[in-house]
Amino acid sequence: MGMMITPPKDAPGSATPAILIGLFVAFGGILFGYDTGTIGGILAMPYWRNQFSTGFRNPKDGQLDVTSSQSSLIVSILSAGTFFGALTASPFGDLLGRRMGLVASSWVFIFGVILQTASTAIPLFTAGRFFAGYGVGLVSALVPLYQSESSPKWIRGTIVGCYQLAITLGLLIAAIVNNATKDRNDTGSYRIPVAVQFAWALILIIGMLILPETPRYLIKTGKMEKAARALSRLRRLPVDDPSLLDELAEIKANHDYEMAIGKASYLDCFKGTLGKRTLTGCALQALQQLTGVNFIFYYGTQFFKNSGIHNPFVVSLITNIVNVVSTLPGLYMVEKWGRRRLLLFGAIGMCICQFIVAIVGVSISSTVSNKVLIAFVCIYIFFFACSWGPVAWVVTGELFPLKVRAKSLSMTTATNWLLNWAIAFSTPYLVNSGPGNANLQVKVFFIWGTCCFVCIAFVYFFIYETKGLSLEQVDEMYEKVSKAWESKHFVPSINFREIEEELAQNRKASLAEVEQVVLRKKSVAGAGGVAEHRDRVSSHGDERADEKV
């Protein structure tokens, strides 16, 4: 196994256009990360606290501030917006298309930014955060959808993982801008960080107007000629190239098979193997939030300040830099190690770090213990950023067949935001002191550590290895492999074009049963079909040989 991520020797055309397009679309993560990251610093700005306070004084410093309930509302309303945005991403993506759906989402986001920039009191600021969140929720479901449907299978994980890299860059930029404006004694202290978001949305809109629609969406809507032209741009091949036509035919045959079984409603997404995949994706996204990472990025500045750490803005900046840098090795490991191994590695590391932070925090209170706390928070961020950060988006982008991909992906993303909202809403009550609050302080890390322990078991029992498989081959794997830990041995053997006719005649038969019928017919015909089939299986097996965990 080489150190570099390289395309298969028989890969036709060039993957460069698809990679560059996938990397640009990942820019949507900037909206997500920046909008998420900016609020923590804004809540700690002296001018903003004075301007938006309704008379409450913080007992820590005696200065005007917002109450725990107001802080909870302001932070969590974004997540409420993103939850509803993610749920409605399916009609956006299926009716407008993946490309124009992202354009429309960006305009919704811009409307929310306008309201926040214009605000001088909590109600309008909160309304702006809801609409901005609605736009972010749409984008957060449509970006991985676009990337998964347009990327070559051998580097799909890295490309989709770049969405998480863009999120971390957004968080870092937010920390830098907040640090630059926090001492201003005017509305610019919070309006500048908020208004910067106009730039991110406009860049995404302009780019998406130029880029092609995904070939799989065009096939789903019956536009084969447009699909061929789109795939031609992605693969840098003529529209009549045999390998390009073969790829299109395989995608269409797989989709025709899915549609022959019947159209899928939201309820159907929870039946059979589809239900297994939907619940796996929802649980994966929920657990990504329950690792506690957004506690650090939402409330990290305030938490470090209340823990007695001087200059919490700088500490927050450091954690964001660690987040960005640590995502980079994850983009490499997701294709070299595979999804399962990387998620297990991350869950074990995060679990250990969270419990160390909790134990040190409740046992000792000194300058040394503060340094230990910061150090292990940074190590925890490394484990998250190189594993659960990007890979959760990669796995959910790969799980679903074309006919339900937008529906199921919108539900898994909405689950992420639902837990994001719950954590953002409950954290002030869990951590802060005062009447009605649990005053857990650093003990909250025991909760995150326990959730990370659950992550370990979840990955082993429920996450299938999808590295190196096309999206259509992932469908085949879920039809044939019943246990996640056996997925590392799976070798794709079905060509949907070869079995399309038999599938049409035996709609109630399983893929494995239809495949055996086709092979028997070939064998009887004496065409050497079985040997040819085995040779093809063997060549696929070579590509998957490095995935065993």
Side-chain angles (χ1 to χ4, degrees), residues 410-474:
S410 73
M411 286 188 284
T412 60
T413 307
T415 302
N416 180 295
W417 286 114
L418 179 63
L419 269 294
N420 188 303
W421 169 81
I423 291 168
F425 185 82
S426 62
T427 293
Y429 299 106
L430 290 172
V431 176
N432 292 349
S433 59
N437 296 329
N439 193 27
L440 290 178
Q441 298 294 331
V442 76
K443 291 190 288 291
V444 74
F445 283 88
F446 281 115
I447 296 176
W448 311 139
T450 302
C451 291
C452 290
F453 184 79
V454 173
C455 290
I456 298 171
F458 173 77
V459 172
Y460 182 80
F461 288 107
F462 296 104
I463 297 298
Y464 282 62
E465 183 52 72
T466 53
K467 174 197 161 192
L469 300 176
S470 71
L471 298 180
E472 289 68 40
Q473 289 167 346
V474 172

